[in-house]
């Protein structure tokens, strides 16, 4: 029984790390898209003038 408990803990930790990494990647993608669209929006009026 003791052998199964330690093996479960790293797997749980690994799952938590995977979930955190996925969430972080999602936030960074959203930030990158927002930054890119903001920069594109700022560049467009200056190009016309």
């Amino acid at each position: 029984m003791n052998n199964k408990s330690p093996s479960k803990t790293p797997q749980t930790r690994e799952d938590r790390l995977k979930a955190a990494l996925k969430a972080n990647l999602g936030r960074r993608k959203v930030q990158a898209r927002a930054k890119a669209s903001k920069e594109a929006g700022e560049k467009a009026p200056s190009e016309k003038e």
Side-chain angles (χ1 to χ4, degrees):
M1 280 188 177
N2 264 350
N3 293 340
K4 289 186 178 182
S5 292
S7 65
K8 244 186 178 181
T9 303
Q11 187 178 17
T12 303
R13 180 178 182 266
E14 187 176 330
D15 290 341
R16 283 185 285 139
L17 290 174
K18 283 181 184 179
L21 183 62
K22 188 174 183 179
N24 187 23
L25 183 61
R27 284 192 302 270
R28 291 183 67 170
K29 282 185 176 182
V30 169
Q31 288 175 344
R33 286 187 204 121
K35 184 178 177 182
S37 66
K38 183 179 178 185
E39 288 177 356
E42 290 176 356
K43 289 180 181 177
S46 63
E47 289 176 0
K48 290 180 182 178
E49 290 179 12

